[in-house]
């Protein structure tokens, strides 16, 4: 039995502005998660799908072994976006909240000594970093016009002193019931600005203390400088 997210309550949902209550994320929530039995079935199916991906990755690794390529192949496992499984009363993605923007990133390089494997790197990484990373790993020159930064120093355990500590986010998909937004994600805080709303709606969260981002700090005086 899968636990229901802390923010998937009627009380929390009631605190959303109307443009989020009536968004496509809520429409899809009703498709998938609005009844206890349905929620269990949909999340179970989601996990079943992930298990299927896991199985295929195993087949790829077996094929690399079979053809003598395993010692010369770097494997990068990632995803295109996060996903709401009922958090905030939503389904799908699109927003800067943690469940929506976080993605897995696993890099396996067979050349790395076994003693140095299994490291967790806390640096902020973006999907635009994957292209220069794979080019460098393959020994191909990275054009100065290429977006992102190679992760090779991080893979070797050396985080550059000037590595990013924040990034700008925007979602500008042009659909009536998917509100446009922009924001900033730092190592500790998440800021979002719903710039099409009148008046503009803002939110500020400390995602270290409040991973589920249930407490909007916007109106608290001690966070005015951060804002």
């Amino acid at each position: 039995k899968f636990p229901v997210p802390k923010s998937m309550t009627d009380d929390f949902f009631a605190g959303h502005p109307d443009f989020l209550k009536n968004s496509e994320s809520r429409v899809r929530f009703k498709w998938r998660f609005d009844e206890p039995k349905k929620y269990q079935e949909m999340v179970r199916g989601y996990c079943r799908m992930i298990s299927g991906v896991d199985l295929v990755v195993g087949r790829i690794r077996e094929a690399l072994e079979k053809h003598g390529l395993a010692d010369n192949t770097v494997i990068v496992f990632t995803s295109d976006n996060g996903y709401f499984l009922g958090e905030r009363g939503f389904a799908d993605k699109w927003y800067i909240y943690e469940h929506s923007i976080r993605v897995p990133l696993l890099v396996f390089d067979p050349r790395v000594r076994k003693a140095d494997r299994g490291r967790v790197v806390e640096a902020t990484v973006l999907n635009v970093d994957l292209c220069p990373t794979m080019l460098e790993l393959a020994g191909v020159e990275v054009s100065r016009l290429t977006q992102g930064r190679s992760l090779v120093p991080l893979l070797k355990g050396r985080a550059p002193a000037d590595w990013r500590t924040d990034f700008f986010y925007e979602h500008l998909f042009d659909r009536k019931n998917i509100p446009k937004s922009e924001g900033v994600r730092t190592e500790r805080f998440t800021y979002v600005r719903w710039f099409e709303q009148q008046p503009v709606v803002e939110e500020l969260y400390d995602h270290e203390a409040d991973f589920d981002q249930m407490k909007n700090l916007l109106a608290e005086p001690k966070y005015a400088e951060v804002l």
Side-chain angles (χ1 to χ4, degrees), residues 62-153:
E62 289 173 1
L64 290 171
E65 291 280 358
K66 179 180 178 181
H67 294 285
L69 299 170
D71 292 336
N72 192 37
T73 303
V74 175
I75 297 174
V76 179
F77 182 93
T78 188
S79 177
D80 59 343
N81 53 261
Y83 195 81
F84 291 117
L85 294 175
E87 290 88 1
R88 315 186 80 78
F90 295 155
D92 251 288
K93 55 262 185 182
W94 306 306
Y95 309 138
I96 197 174
Y97 305 117
E98 290 295 279
H99 300 90
S100 180
I101 63 169
R102 279 180 174 255
V103 296
L105 178 59
L106 304 172
V107 180
F108 173 70
D109 187 337
R111 298 168 295 186
V112 174
R113 295 183 313 160
K114 288 188 177 181
D116 294 330
R117 294 178 185 174
R119 288 187 301 107
V120 176
V121 179
E122 297 291 346
T124 299
V125 172
L126 304 177
N127 57 8
V128 290
D129 298 329
L130 296 178
C131 175
T133 300
M134 290 188 276
L135 289 173
E136 183 173 346
L137 288 171
V140 178
E141 183 179 355
V142 181
S143 166
R144 63 182 180 82
L145 301 178
T146 303
Q147 284 186 292
R149 297 183 63 177
S150 172
L151 304 178
V152 169

Side-chain angles (χ1 to χ4, degrees), residues 14-27:
H16 288 317
D18 287 343
F19 68 88
L20 286 176
K21 289 179 181 176
N22 299 313
S23 69
E24 182 68 15
S25 296
R26 187 58 176 180
V27 172

Side-chain angles (χ1 to χ4, degrees), residues 5 8 30 33 38 44 55 66 89 97-98 107 150 153 193 211 215 217:
M8 201 181 95
K30 291 179 179 178
F33 305 133
K38 189 193 297 185
R44 185 170 293 108
L55 180 65
K66 179 180 178 181
Y97 305 117
E98 290 295 279
V107 180
S150 172
R193 181 175 182 266
F211 178 82
K215 184 177 177 56
L217 305 173

Side-chain angles (χ1 to χ4, degrees), residues 150-215:
S150 172
L151 304 178
V152 169
L154 298 181
L155 299 179
K156 293 181 177 180
R158 302 191 304 270
D162 64 343
W163 194 260
R164 74 172 66 86
T165 57
D166 54 44
F167 63 90
F168 174 72
Y169 162 97
E170 61 182 351
H171 195 280
L172 306 179
F173 194 68
D174 198 13
R175 179 167 172 166
K176 187 176 181 180
N177 66 344
I178 300 178
K180 296 177 182 178
S181 61
E182 60 187 8
V184 176
R185 167 65 155 75
T186 74
E187 291 179 314
R188 179 176 174 182
F189 293 98
T190 298
Y191 167 79
V192 60
R193 181 175 182 266
W194 308 94
F195 59 87
E196 286 191 321
Q197 307 306 313
Q198 297 296 329
V200 169
V201 175
E202 298 173 291
E203 299 173 52
L204 178 70
Y205 298 98
D206 179 346
H207 53 249
E208 286 188 358
D210 175 26
F211 178 82
D212 292 289
Q213 297 168 312
M214 296 178 69
K215 184 177 177 56

Side-chain angles (χ1 to χ4, degrees), residues 33-46:
F33 305 133
D34 64 343
E35 298 172 4
K37 183 180 179 182
K38 189 193 297 185
Y39 180 85
Q40 295 298 322
E41 290 174 350
M42 294 300 289
V43 176
R44 185 170 293 108
Y46 186 78

